[in-house]
Amino acid sequence: MTVLGIETSCDETSASVVRNGREVLSCVIHTQLEHKPFGGVVPEIASRCHIEALPGIVSEAVKNSGLNWDSIDAIAATRGPGLASSLLVGWSMAKGLAMSLGCPLLAVNHIEAHLHSVFLEPSAPEPADAVPMLGLVVSGGHTSLFKIEEYGKIQLIGKTVDDAAGEALDKAAKLLDLGYPGGPVIDKLARLKTPNRRVFPEGRIRDATMTDGLDPSLCFSFSGLKTSLLHHIKDNPPSSEDDIAQLAADYQEAVMQALVKRCEKALEDSRYLAVGGGVSLNSRLRTLLAELCERRNVELLLASPRNCGDNAAMIAGLASMGRGVSSPESFTLDVAPSWPVGV
Ligand code: KG4
Ligand code: ZN
């Protein structure tokens, strides 16, 4: 099965052709730089940029795959979660393409697709064999933990009650005047220093009702961390690049330790740990996860750097595995900006 996938949930415009769920024939990703001056994604700018870029990106993805339109068996697109106005651009284009080609239309969940990104690596096991698995999706918009006992049966077991981990890094970078997005620059600066774990607190869930019935010890809270950085800067303004690098290392450590600690607690009898999303690029997180998996004799599944952030290969790939909503029902669907996984 050869699927053309489209991803426009946030500020990446992407199209990809994937064969049989795992063989990426092409993947074109355009990251919108128009948001940089604003220090975050501006929804209206994002959707307008998708409208301009998407037709060219789709044509390029088909051309780069070496196939022609006749070889495309189905069209898939992200239906949610994400920014409504951004999702509408990709979802509408996918509907139009599927109608004109007379092929099935598949609605895919963006978070579940981040977990599928680890299976785009040729060395990864078959998805059906990689169970029981713990999944962590960690990006600028999401921080969630999942248990997968059987392929396709995904249970949410933990989530952030406020900011996502990537958002916490982006906000810290803004406070430290390091530009947007913050994750990559904090990662780079932090590598220059040895982190001190005691400087910033681990976010704690103060109100158990915020977790919607999930175990609070598997949930995350990052908004207090950002506030503590704000106070820290007020009390001890960094006076050199060295000070800023140390702050970056200490702050990053608090974020990454919070992620790894929850993973360790949730692993139980899991044989695999899959981690997807933009923050999974972080070098400190990768080191800590590798150490954890070594200790617990668990296989760590990470996506290659080009598939960690938002991309359409994970959308086309997941759709070819038969996941998502198919036609004729999909043709009647609107986008779902808060679409939960597994529903
Ligand atoms: O998955 P993604 O491309 O988009 C969302 O769905 O949000 O993730 C973007 C996030 C941003 O918050 C960015 O700062 C973070 O991923 N990020 C990183 C690194 N590279 C990107 N965070 C930590 N370390 C990195 N090397
Ligand atoms: Zn994402």
Side-chain angles (χ1 to χ4, degrees), residues 313-329:
M314 65 185 194
I315 304 299
L318 183 62
S320 343
M321 302 297 297
R323 302 287 306 152
V325 186
S326 188
S327 24
E329 190 191 347

Side-chain angles (χ1 to χ4, degrees), residues 251-268:
Y251 187 91
Q252 173 182 276
E253 191 67 8
V255 174
M256 302 312 158
Q257 291 287 354
L259 296 173
V260 174
K261 196 170 157 188
R262 304 309 188 276
C263 286
E264 175 143 34
K265 178 140 203 293
L267 260 180
E268 295 176 334

Side-chain angles (χ1 to χ4, degrees), residues 302-324:
L302 292 167
S304 70
R306 69 176 181 285
N307 293 327
C308 285
D310 288 347
N311 69 84
M314 65 185 194
I315 304 299
L318 183 62
S320 343
M321 302 297 297
R323 302 287 306 152

